[in-house]
Each structure stands twice: as C-alpha cells, then as structure tokens.
Amino acid sequence: MAVPYTNCFQLPKVNPKCHIFSSSGGLSTGVSPAHCCLKTSPPVMHLEAKVSQVDPLLDSVKWDDRGLAVAIAQNVDTGAVLMQGFVNKEALLKTITSKQATFYSRSRSTLWTKGETSMNFINVSDVFLDCDRDSIIYLGKPDGPTCHTGAETCYYTSVDDIINDSPVDGSKLALTTLYALESTISKRKEELSENPDSKPSWTKRLLLDEKLLCSKIREEADELCRTLEENEDQTRTASEMADVLYHAMVLLALKGVKVEDVLQVLRLRFAQSGVEEKKSRKS
C-alpha cells in the first residue's frame, strides 16, 4: 500500500472548462493556472496538490540552466519504465492539471502530450520527485504502446545483445522477475501450438492438464498456509508462496489473463473497504 512521502502528491481534480494553455503550448496570460484549475480533493494518503502548494512545488524543482528536468514515465501496475523525456514548469503543471503525461520538446521548443497523435496517452495518477528534486517520475497507466515503434516501452535494447551482435527484438522488454516469468510461461504456451512435439517441460504439462494444474494450486496454497500454522521459518514461507504464484500464473496464461490485469484490480481496490468490495461482488 502507498505511504505518504513529502515528495509525492496525488493529482487533484480539475475544472474541465478552464483553459490555461495557449495554442502555442505556453501559459495563457492574465490568469493563474494553479488558482484557476485546481480543486481541493478529499483527504487521501498522498500529499494533496492544493492550490497553495502547486506554485511552491514547481519552484522547488531544480530546473537546469534551460529550465528543464528529466521526467520518466512508469507503468503504475507493472512498474515498467515506459519512456523518458524532458519537462519544464509548464509541462509539469499541465501534467498535474490534465492527468496526462506532458513533456517539453527541445527540438520544437513546445509542450507535447504523449498520445496526442497516436492516442496512446499515459494517464498519470501520481507524480514523484527524487530526493534532490532534479528528476521526476510520472506514475500512470498507458492506453497502449508507448514507443513510436509500437513496442510496449522504449526500453527493449539490451546492452548484452549489442555487445554480442544479437538482433534487436522490440518484444524483448526490460522485465522484472514476475513479468519475466509470465513471458516464459507465455512462450511455453506458444510452443505447444506451434510444435506439439517440442521438448516437454513441467509448465507445458500443466498447460495441457487443467485437472493437474488446479490440484497443484490447491496443494501449494495448503502448504503455504501450513507454514503459518506450523510456525515454519520465513524462507519456507517465501518458497511456498513462489510455488503458489508460479502455478497461479500458469492458470492465468490458460485463461488469457495478464498479471497486469490482476494488479490493476488490486490497485482499484485500494480506496475501497474490503467488506464493501465483497458486498459489491454479490450484487
């Protein structure tokens, strides 16, 4: 669960009738964008970006001599680093008010919102500043592929591949452990349809036998519970939980459900009481 950091704020509600940017991408004159567009939201765990806080926050960023800072967009559910760009005060403010990742183009000297051409917007839910306040993270949910090549993220070129003269594969993303496992399971599933006589593996066996898969999930879940009931050590608990995750992810692959989908469901439940959530299922 998220915790309140002083360098983090949840994006506020905005007035959709308020237009604070001119057609050139700059700030309109005669109006304070922060005072015009920001509304106070109900109390949440994050530091609220209230009217009185926005201008000082923008001033607190350590902009370089060109008035820019690095901004990285990150998937709120998978943790994947989607892209990097540069922002100035106006770009950061527009991101806060529009809740869409906005950057500053150094070549065109203008603001640009990711997705304004492709419609693959990055919908920002949180913005983080680093400890030195000279770089920024846009934490959000992308509407589609982020890279202009059509890849999910802009980071698919492995240094190891470059050194070994391996071809660059746009589908080879910088994956964390959980998603690397998901990718491996997905490949095993593809191998079954492409070459049924391919080398057997435990994952393929589970994919081919639903009854075996379900029995293993129940078995591993029971063993996980026993680590608590029998007061086994933490290493054992971690090991059994790894077994539960692996077998459950094989089931997800069979059902065509991504881990990202599961994490999104969990994220959307953060602001909801567990009791209320269970009641809503019955209705």
Side-chain angles (χ1 to χ4, degrees):
M1 181 176 290
V3 294
Y5 290 97
T6 55
N7 283 0
C8 164
F9 56 91
Q10 182 164 337
L11 300 185
K13 296 180 180 179
V14 299
N15 182 350
K17 297 181 179 179
C18 173
H19 302 286
I20 63 174
F21 293 92
S22 65
S23 58
S24 64
L27 288 170
S28 301
T29 58
V31 62
S32 166
H35 287 76
C36 175
C37 284
L38 302 185
K39 291 183 178 180
T40 302
S41 301
V44 294
M45 293 188 70
H46 298 292
L47 176 64
E48 288 288 350
K50 296 178 181 177
V51 170
S52 61
Q53 297 171 324
V54 175
D55 290 333
L57 183 144
L58 295 174
D59 291 335
S60 73
V61 177
K62 294 181 181 177
W63 308 104
D64 66 15
D65 54 5
R66 296 167 296 175
L68 303 176
V70 172
I72 296 169
Q74 183 178 14
N75 188 312
V76 66
D77 290 320
T78 69
V81 177
L82 301 173
M83 62 168 290
Q84 175 195 294
F86 289 86
V87 297
N88 58 8
K89 282 187 178 182
E90 289 78 12
L92 179 54
L93 179 59
K94 186 173 182 182
T95 298
I96 295 171
T97 56
S98 70
K99 298 186 180 181
Q100 292 180 331
T102 302
F103 301 87
Y104 178 80
S105 170
R106 294 172 297 171
S107 60
R108 294 182 283 114
S109 300
T110 187
L111 301 186
W112 66 280
T113 298
K114 172 59 188 171
E116 59 189 11
T117 301
S118 66
M119 304 307 293
N120 292 327
F121 296 97
I122 298 175
N123 305 291
V124 179
S125 56
D126 278 307
V127 176
F128 285 79
L129 305 177
D130 79 337
C131 55
D132 294 321
R133 297 210 170 198
D134 58 5
S135 66
I136 298 162
I137 288 180
Y138 290 161
L139 195 62
K141 188 73 171 179
D143 283 335
T146 297
C147 187
H148 70 283
T149 64
E152 183 180 336
T153 84
C154 294
Y155 297 93
Y156 53 80
T157 305
S158 165
V159 170
D160 186 60
D161 286 345
I162 295 174
I163 293 174
N164 293 296
D165 293 324
S166 300
V168 175
D169 181 0
S171 64
K172 182 179 180 180
L173 304 176
L175 298 175
T176 53
T177 302
L178 195 63
Y179 295 96
L181 174 58
E182 180 180 53
S183 177
T184 299
I185 294 172
S186 178
K187 288 177 182 177
R188 297 294 179 269
K189 184 180 178 182
E190 291 173 4
E191 290 170 3
L192 282 175
S193 58
E194 295 172 358
N195 184 10
D197 298 323
S198 60
K199 183 179 179 180
S201 69
W202 178 244
T203 300
K204 291 178 182 177
R205 185 179 170 188
L206 292 171
L207 288 167
L208 290 170
D209 191 336
E210 295 181 6
K211 186 175 181 180
L212 172 63
L213 173 58
C214 290
S215 70
K216 288 300 297 182
I217 293 174
R218 294 186 181 101
E219 175 188 328
E220 299 300 346
D222 179 64
E223 290 182 1
L224 175 63
C225 291
R226 282 164 53 191
T227 66
L228 176 63
E229 296 166 344
E230 299 175 11
N231 195 29
E232 297 186 69
D233 61 31
Q234 294 177 337
T235 302
R236 181 68 175 170
T237 302
S239 177
E240 294 301 339
M241 186 62 206
D243 289 340
V244 172
L245 276 174
Y246 160 69
H247 288 90
M249 287 173 65
V250 175
L251 186 149
L252 291 180
L254 270 177
K255 294 291 292 181
V257 177
K258 293 184 176 181
V259 172
E260 181 176 356
D261 299 330
V262 177
L263 295 178
Q264 179 174 322
V265 171
L266 288 173
R267 173 170 54 85
L268 295 176
R269 289 180 183 175
F270 282 172
Q272 185 178 16
S273 159
V275 175
E276 293 300 320
E277 191 277 329
K278 288 187 178 298
K279 285 183 179 179
S280 68
R281 293 192 201 181
K282 296 178 182 179
S283 59

